[in-house]
Every structure is written in structure tokens, then in C-alpha cells.
Amino acid sequence: MRPFTAPALLLAAVLSACAGAGPTTTPAPVAPTAGAVSSPQWAEDMARFAAEDARNPPPAHPIVFTGSSSVRMWQTLAEDFPDRPVLNRGFGGSQLRDATWYADEVATRYRPRQVMLYAGDNDIDAGRPPQRVLADFRAFVARIRRDLPRVPIAYIAIKPSPARFDQLPAQREANALVKAEAARMDGVDFIDVATPMLDADGRPRAELFGDDHLHMNARGYALWREIVAPYLR
């Protein structure tokens, strides 16, 4: 049997090499995902939004503002943009991935004409790196586009604040990454509220913030109104 063993093994090797020499198939790209929510407490906010919708139906095809507390605490939103059908669906303390997880509850169900997002501030504070903020931003856009392929989206830059001044380098990096990514996307704007909130020395302007040095006061929101208004559709 030995005279036939070597040729047989050689033939098997040649056939195997030929099979491996064929064209390779490139794996299909995997849609970005943001992962699970940062806290189960957001379910209460979603229930509150549903109750508000039942009591007072929102406007048809609104401009939805969503994200963390800087949106939630924008109590003058409707007054600031009286000629626009705006809807506030911010939930304080949330991260960018939370807006993705609850995209239906805070955005797509309203069939909005535009989605405005402020998130990433709490992500950096929680230790999530700028590259993760970028990935979560991509996931948010992909999630909105899944249901609303043509709706305009705008990302409001992570704001600097006195309370988180030590995080400013990471905030700037995250903003730069998101800005560059938004520029490559169709129908996605990056709104730079961060630069005008810094003084001549590059420090957050204290007069724009409340007593906690984190959340904005009326002057802060007045500044945001001026910056955001040209982007509304």
C-alpha cells in the first residue's frame, strides 16, 4: 500500500490548495450598535413621555430635541422657537447610547421633520472615551436612518462647563471626531455650541451657568438659541 500513499497525499494537497486559491468573499459590514442602556431608570422617562402624549398630543412632524439634561432643562424651547413645531424629549443624566436604545420613544414615533441631539457630556464624565462617543454617534444615526432614511439630524456639540473643566480635552476630542464624521454624512449637521461658551482664556464662561456650574442658566440657553436657530428646518 505504501507506493500509493505518497501520491494520494500529494493529490489531496494539490486539490486543497486549488480550493483555497479561489476568490474570497468580503464579509458584509456590520451595522454599528450602541449597546445596552446606561441605567434602567430611563424606562420611567419613557412612560412619562407616553403619558404626556396621551394628555397633550404632540404637533405633527415636529422638530424633536432629545438627549440629556441640557435638553430636558430647556424649558423655554417652545418660546425660543415660536415659529417651529418643537418637541422636547430630553431625559436628564442619559448617555448617547440611551438615545439610540430609546430612539422610537424619543424620536422616530413622532415622524419628525428633524432630530436634534445633545449627548456625550455624561458619556465622557462616565469614563467613556471619545472614540466610544463617536461609535455611539454612528449607531444613533444608523438607528434613526433605519426608520427615517431622509430625516435631517443635527448633533449639538458637547458643551464645556466649569464643573467638568478637567474633562475639556476629552470633550474637544469627541467633538472633533463627531464633527468630522458628520461632515461625511448626508443630512447630518454638527452644531458648535462649545467654542462660543469659552472665554478668551479658553475656560467655560461662568456667567452662562447656574449654581451647580454644570447646567446652563437663561443666558446659556439664550446663547444656544442664537446658535441653533439657523440649523432648524
Side-chain angles (χ1 to χ4, degrees), residues 17-143:
C18 291
T24 58
T25 302
T26 303
V30 178
T33 58
V37 292
S38 64
S39 171
Q41 75 183 69
W42 312 134
E44 297 178 7
D45 291 271
M46 302 308 121
R48 173 170 57 84
F49 293 151
E52 290 177 3
D53 291 344
R55 290 194 306 268
N56 185 25
H61 306 296
I63 300 173
V64 171
F65 283 72
T66 190
S68 57
S69 56
S70 291
V71 171
R72 180 181 62 82
M73 297 175 68
W74 199 339
Q75 298 178 356
T76 60
L77 187 64
E79 300 170 21
D80 290 341
F81 307 111
D83 59 339
R84 296 287 194 275
V86 296
L87 180 65
N88 191 322
R89 284 297 173 260
F91 48 118
S94 62
Q95 297 180 17
L96 214 164
R97 54 181 162 155
D98 301 319
T100 304
W101 184 271
Y102 288 112
D104 184 56
E105 288 83 353
V106 301
T108 61
R109 70 167 59 187
Y110 301 108
R111 316 311 285 180
R113 66 178 65 188
Q114 186 176 16
V115 176
M116 313 291 289
L117 173 69
Y118 178 81
D121 197 337
N122 295 321
D123 305 56
I124 297 295
D125 185 59
R128 291 170 77 81
Q131 293 77 13
R132 185 68 252 177
V133 173
L134 173 62
D136 289 350
F137 166 72
R138 288 171 174 157
F140 178 81
V141 173
R143 174 61 185 85

